[in-house]
């Protein structure tokens, strides 16, 4: 797991430095305050990117979408599940508000993420045969 501070407001995120702690060949999960470090995280091999900051736009209009996303980057990363060059991302709309104390057209959320490792295939073995009895 690698993490960076707020790439939006403080512009101090350093995904490259954060990813140096991930051992080669291991699955990397990047935690960031906002979606803005996602492009670099993807290029560095992160498999999953989890963030918030945008509040999903906080005010969203029908057929238009979020009025403000509070981020520099593609609007598709402003909320929910998304992907970027093979990396899966999720931007939470959060439970609170930022700036104006209002939400319209955007539900707040608290997200629970469950990670599961795929069962690795063992080369040369197939089926459910108990080799001690076979």
């Amino acid at each position: 797991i690698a993490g960076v501070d707020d790439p939006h407001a403080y512009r101090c995120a350093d995904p490259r430095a954060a990813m140096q702690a991930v051992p080669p060949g291991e699955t990397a999960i990047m935690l960031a305050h906002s979606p803005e470090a996602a492009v670099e995280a993807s290029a560095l091999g992160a498999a999953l990117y989890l963030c918030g900051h945008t509040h999903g736009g906080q005010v969203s209009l029908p057929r238009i979408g979020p009025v403000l996303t509070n981020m520099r980057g593609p609007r598709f990363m402003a909320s929910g599940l998304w992907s970027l060059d093979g990396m899966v991302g999720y931007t939470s709309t959060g439970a609170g508000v930022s700036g104006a104390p209002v939400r319209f057209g955007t539900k707040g959320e608290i997200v629970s993420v469950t990670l599961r490792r795929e069962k690795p295939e063992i080369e040369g073995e197939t089926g459910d045969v108990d080799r001690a009895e076979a």
Side-chain angles (χ1 to χ4, degrees), residues 2 14 45 87 91 94 99 130 134:
D14 189 349
M87 179 181 74
T91 306
D130 184 344

Side-chain angles (χ1 to χ4, degrees), residues 17-127:
M19 291 287 285
Q20 286 178 352
V22 177
E26 293 294 323
T27 300
I29 300 170
M30 177 67 72
L31 305 177
H33 184 76
S34 75
E36 284 142 316
V39 171
E40 190 172 0
S42 174
L44 292 167
L48 177 62
Y49 189 97
L50 302 172
C51 61
H53 177 77
T54 67
H55 297 273
Q58 201 166 305
V59 173
S60 188
L61 302 175
R63 295 190 295 265
I64 294 173
V67 175
L68 298 172
T69 61
N70 295 317
M71 63 176 242
R72 292 175 295 278
R75 294 176 71 80
F76 73 86
M77 288 193 262
S79 67
L81 188 63
W82 47 268
S83 65
L84 178 69
D85 298 327
M87 179 181 74
V88 175
Y90 192 87
T91 306
S92 171
T93 60
V97 294
S98 180
V102 64
R103 273 192 187 267
F104 179 80
T106 302
K107 292 182 180 178
E109 66 182 354
I110 296 174
V111 179
S112 175
V113 176
T114 302
L115 302 176
R116 291 191 175 90
R117 182 179 201 172
E118 288 186 34
K119 183 177 179 183
E121 290 185 30
I122 301 172
E123 192 172 316
E125 292 187 22
T126 59

